[in-house]
Amino acid sequence: MLQRPAGALSSTPEQLARRARRAWLLFAAVALLIVTAALYGAGLYGRTAEIGTLAAQGRTDANLKVALLRAVLESPRALPLLLSADQQVRDALTQKNAAAIDVLNRKLEGLVSGTKASVLYVIGADGLAIASSNWREPISFVGNDYRFRDYFSGAMQAGTAEYFALGNVSKRPGLYISRRVGDAAAPLGVVVVKMEFDQLEADWREANRPAYVSDENGVVLITSVPSWRFMTTAPLAAPKQAAIRDSQQFGDAPLVPLPIMHAQALSPDVSIVHAVMPGGSDAQYLSLSTPVPSTPWRLDYLIPAEAPIAAAVREMRLLALGVVVPLLGLAAYLLWRRQSAQMRIAAEQAARTELERRVVERTEDLSRARDRLQAEITGHRNTEAKLQVVQQDLVQANRLAILGQVAAGVAHEINQPVATIRAYADNARTFLDRKQTGPAEENLGAIAALTERIGSITEELKAFARKGRTAAEPVELRGVIEGAVMLLRSRFAGRLDALVVDLPLPSLKVMGNRVRLEQVLINLFQNALEALDGRDDAHVQVSVEETADGVTISVSDNGPGIPPAILKSLFTPFNTSKEKGLGLGLVISKDIVADYGGRIEVSSGDSGTRFTIHLQKAA
């Protein structure tokens, strides 16, 4: 149970709201400070941890690369030692005849094919090569002067030497391992093996992590990035650079610094650098440096660090947010709960006071509202009754308008049978005078048929003019269509041939009222025929289709179609394209069809207009 805080009873809801806003502002500031500190600390920890992980992994990889490099170096180092004591080498150096040199050339050729050495050659004491494993090739070393090479002078003086340089004949870089033949007092010459590292560099490139080996001057000798060869790890002093160029150790290489910058030392052999790869952009790498035993070289290994460090920082920050945000959410919930309890207590006190005052006012308002509502209900009922009367008057007005349009034609229809009746009556009188009762009876029968025709026309007019709406009842659809056509026959005399009607079976009945349905069809037939006025190819097709749930009547014409502006509001009162039209025919037709549970649809285009009436089929 929450205890009511002290002071809540004396504070109003407005005062508590102001205090709550100040508390939430302070909470937001503290929360922002906590989140910022957590994100910073998590990012720093994630970066440090990931760098440690990358460094450990990189040391392992770098040690493996150093071990592989040493294995590659140790194999060719034994060859000069063995050859320096070989008798055939000594014979060739001492005798210098063609036979001894030919034997030595073939021997060196056989040895190089079974080892990983690139070239084996023997140099005389005068610095000229007398035999070489590539003696058959166009770039044979035989006859070349190597006195200027440090590996020759070093071996002659110290007995052995190792020298990495660019070949002055082959133009390929490699490590030259040399050994003196004979003692220092009377040297016979020097045996040299050249070691190339193409396969080693290719193996390094497969790892997609840059690695390079540099000498004591910082010149890159072996690298997985070919364009970095003979670049320097740091700018060379001018005297040192001039000495290297004079020795032709690296040919005409520019000896420019590597595209590695912004070093951030983490330990003596680990640093963060930015390197530009060939064809790429600046990227961050973790650089590890380790010496290569038995050589003055160092191996530098670059590990892509930008993406792993960013991922580690992001992961640690998400973890920190996963811890801090729920704690802040819990604190916010407790603060909200405390404030809600205070607000609820204050609101209850204010509500009790306000409720008593508003009860009386609300009672008076409800009484006045009840009186207004009763008056509005009475007004709505009166309006609805007037609306129904107006609607009936509009339907009757439309019906009488149609009746007026067809009245002249109907009078013509009646005049014809009246004239025929007069002729039949005169003939009957003549036949009776002649005592010919048979022909007289036939004339009287014809007169009776003509009077029935006149009666049907007048009854149709009387029924059509009758006012009022009747309940739906089963109506024979064929008779409805025939009645509508008959009322239009005289008005559209000479044009009614354009009206083609596919009459349904007499047994098909729909729910409705015959007169009201005739009114709908007369409106549609009349509109279609008026739209085709003056066209030689006028055609109005009337068809009936019986469906599973009703009956569909389609009235299609090949007229110019209904303008889009009229079509959008076709069933809106007083919307018409006729000069003397009221725009009520289709509105009333839609209401009549809707009264009997049906609907009217229309589609119109350049090729004509189609009205479709859906009616309920009588059971």
Side-chain angles (χ1 to χ4, degrees):
M1 293 291 293
L2 288 174
Q3 296 181 352
R4 295 188 177 184
L9 297 177
S10 60
S11 300
T12 64
E14 291 77 13
Q15 293 173 335
L16 289 176
R18 287 193 293 270
R19 293 177 191 172
R21 283 194 292 271
R22 289 195 295 269
W24 281 113
L25 289 175
L26 179 60
F27 177 82
V30 173
L32 181 61
L33 181 62
I34 292 174
V35 169
T36 303
L39 290 176
Y40 176 78
L44 188 61
Y45 175 78
R47 175 183 173 84
T48 304
E50 185 62 22
I51 289 176
T53 301
L54 291 175
Q57 178 188 355
R59 287 192 185 93
T60 302
D61 293 344
N63 291 335
L64 289 175
K65 291 184 183 299
V66 169
L68 180 60
L69 178 59
R70 290 190 61 189
V72 172
L73 289 173
E74 292 303 325
S75 176
R77 279 176 172 170
L79 286 174
L81 177 62
L82 295 175
L83 289 173
S84 64
D86 187 82
Q87 188 60 44
Q88 291 178 339
V89 175
R90 289 177 178 271
D91 292 344
L93 288 171
T94 55
Q95 298 173 10
K96 293 186 177 181
N97 57 50
I101 291 175
D102 184 65
V103 171
L104 183 56
N105 277 330
R106 296 180 185 278
K107 182 172 185 174
L108 295 178
E109 185 179 27
L111 286 174
V112 79
S113 63
T115 65
K116 294 182 180 180
S118 176
V119 183
L120 278 169
Y121 54 103
V122 178
I123 305 173
D126 57 356
L128 296 178
I130 64 170
S132 175
S133 61
N134 63 357
W135 62 280
R136 299 179 187 270
E137 301 175 8
I139 58 171
S140 171
F141 290 0
V142 176
N144 291 330
D145 188 356
Y146 292 101
R147 282 177 296 176
F148 69 95
R149 288 297 198 184
D150 288 354
Y151 61 79
F152 174 76
S153 59
M156 291 292 285
Q157 294 173 6
T160 184
E162 291 187 3
Y163 186 68
F164 195 99
L166 184 70
N168 64 322
V169 177
S170 66
K171 302 302 180 182
R172 294 177 59 82
L175 177 64
Y176 296 85
I177 304 171
S178 60
R179 192 166 187 90
R180 185 181 61 213
V181 181
D183 53 22
L188 299 176
V190 175
V191 177
V192 183
V193 58
K194 182 181 180 184
M195 180 67 187
E196 295 181 359
F197 300 91
D198 294 346
Q199 184 59 47
L200 179 67
E201 290 177 336
D203 293 340
W204 286 0
R205 280 194 292 272
E206 291 180 357
N208 291 324
R209 291 183 175 183
Y212 57 92
V213 175
S214 56
D215 61 9
E216 64 276 14
N217 295 321
V219 179
V220 176
L221 306 177
I222 307 168
T223 174
S224 63
V225 183
S227 61
W228 287 6
R229 183 174 288 108
F230 300 150
M231 298 181 79
T232 62
T233 58
L236 292 176
K240 174 63 70 175
Q241 190 175 42
I244 293 175
R245 291 193 184 280
D246 292 341
S247 69
Q248 298 183 9
Q249 181 180 2
F250 304 117
D252 57 354
L255 301 176
V256 296
L258 289 166
I260 298 176
M261 61 209 84
H262 306 303
Q264 176 188 355
L266 304 177
S267 67
D269 60 343
V270 180
S271 61
I272 296 291
V273 299
H274 289 265
V276 179
M277 293 294 108
S281 57
D282 181 15
Q284 191 180 70
Y285 292 87
L286 182 69
S287 175
L288 292 95
S289 181
T290 182
V292 180
S294 74
T295 69
W297 299 346
R298 293 191 67 84
L299 180 137
D300 287 271
Y301 184 48
L302 303 184
I303 304 172
E306 193 168 350
I309 290 176
V313 169
R314 183 168 58 251
E315 183 178 352
M316 290 307 300
R317 285 177 175 173
L318 289 175
L319 181 61
L321 288 177
V323 174
V324 172
V325 170
L327 292 177
L328 291 176
L330 178 60
Y333 170 72
L334 294 176
L335 177 61
W336 170 80
R337 187 177 177 183
R338 180 175 180 274
Q339 292 177 349
S340 298
Q342 293 176 344
M343 289 292 293
R344 186 171 60 253
I345 294 171
E348 288 175 354
Q349 289 180 337
R352 280 194 295 269
T353 303
E354 180 68 13
L355 182 61
E356 295 176 357
R357 183 185 64 82
R358 295 183 61 184
V359 165
V360 176
E361 295 179 358
R362 187 58 178 167
T363 302
E364 294 176 355
D365 291 342
L366 289 175
S367 298
R368 288 193 294 269
R370 181 196 59 193
D371 296 339
R372 288 196 301 271
L373 182 60
Q374 289 178 347
E376 289 177 0
I377 292 173
T378 302
H380 285 317
R381 289 175 178 172
N382 294 336
T383 302
E384 184 178 358
K386 292 177 182 178
L387 181 61
Q388 290 179 354
V389 173
V390 171
Q391 185 178 13
Q392 287 290 357
D393 290 342
L394 287 175
V395 174
Q396 181 65 12
N398 176 258
R399 190 181 305 159
L400 292 176
I402 296 172
L403 186 62
Q405 292 172 356
V406 302
V410 170
H412 178 70
E413 284 288 326
I414 294 176
N415 286 336
Q416 287 181 346
V418 167
T420 306
I421 289 172
R422 184 180 298 110
Y424 278 130
D426 292 340
N427 290 339
R429 183 181 297 108
T430 302
F431 286 132
L432 290 175
D433 292 340
R434 295 176 182 176
K435 306 301 184 181
Q436 296 177 350
T437 58
E441 289 179 357
E442 291 179 2
N443 286 348
L444 292 176
I447 290 171
L450 289 171
T451 56
E452 288 180 3
R453 179 181 176 186
I454 294 173
S456 64
I457 293 174
T458 56
E459 285 299 323
E460 196 72 38
L461 285 173
K462 288 165 58 180
F464 191 75
R466 191 175 299 116
K467 184 178 180 180
R469 58 192 298 176
T470 58
E473 60 183 6
V475 177
E476 183 182 318
L477 185 57
R478 185 186 184 104
V480 173
I481 298 174
E482 289 176 339
V485 173
M486 185 183 70
L487 290 175
L488 290 173
R489 186 179 305 279
S490 297
R491 184 182 173 206
F492 292 96
R495 286 188 288 162
L496 209 59
D497 292 341
L499 187 65
V500 179
V501 182
D502 296 333
L503 290 172
L505 295 176
S507 59
L508 181 60
K509 295 183 179 181
V510 296
M511 296 302 295
N513 175 265
R514 172 169 178 161
V515 174
R516 301 189 78 201
L517 293 180
E518 283 181 359
Q519 183 176 355
V520 173
L521 293 180
I522 289 172
N523 272 317
L524 297 184
F525 293 170
Q526 179 176 278
N527 289 343
L529 291 171
E530 288 175 349
L532 299 174
D533 189 21
R535 292 179 65 124
D536 296 334
D537 60 343
H539 181 78
V540 180
Q541 181 69 43
V542 181
S543 60
V544 178
E545 182 181 356
E546 186 177 359
T547 62
D549 54 350
V551 176
T552 300
I553 307 171
S554 298
V555 181
S556 305
D557 64 61
N558 60 343
I562 303 173
I566 301 295
L567 187 62
K568 289 181 180 178
S569 53
L570 190 62
F571 294 101
T572 302
F574 310 111
N575 176 48
T576 180
S577 59
K578 302 176 184 178
E579 293 184 0
K580 298 182 179 181
L582 294 177
L584 295 174
L586 290 176
V587 179
I588 294 172
S589 298
K590 181 180 178 182
D591 290 341
I592 292 173
V593 173
D595 284 344
Y596 299 127
R599 68 184 189 278
I600 296 181
E601 298 173 350
V602 60
S603 60
S604 184
D606 296 337
S607 59
T609 302
R610 179 187 182 92
F611 282 88
T612 305
I613 306 172
H614 299 273
L615 296 173
Q616 293 182 357
K617 184 168 57 176

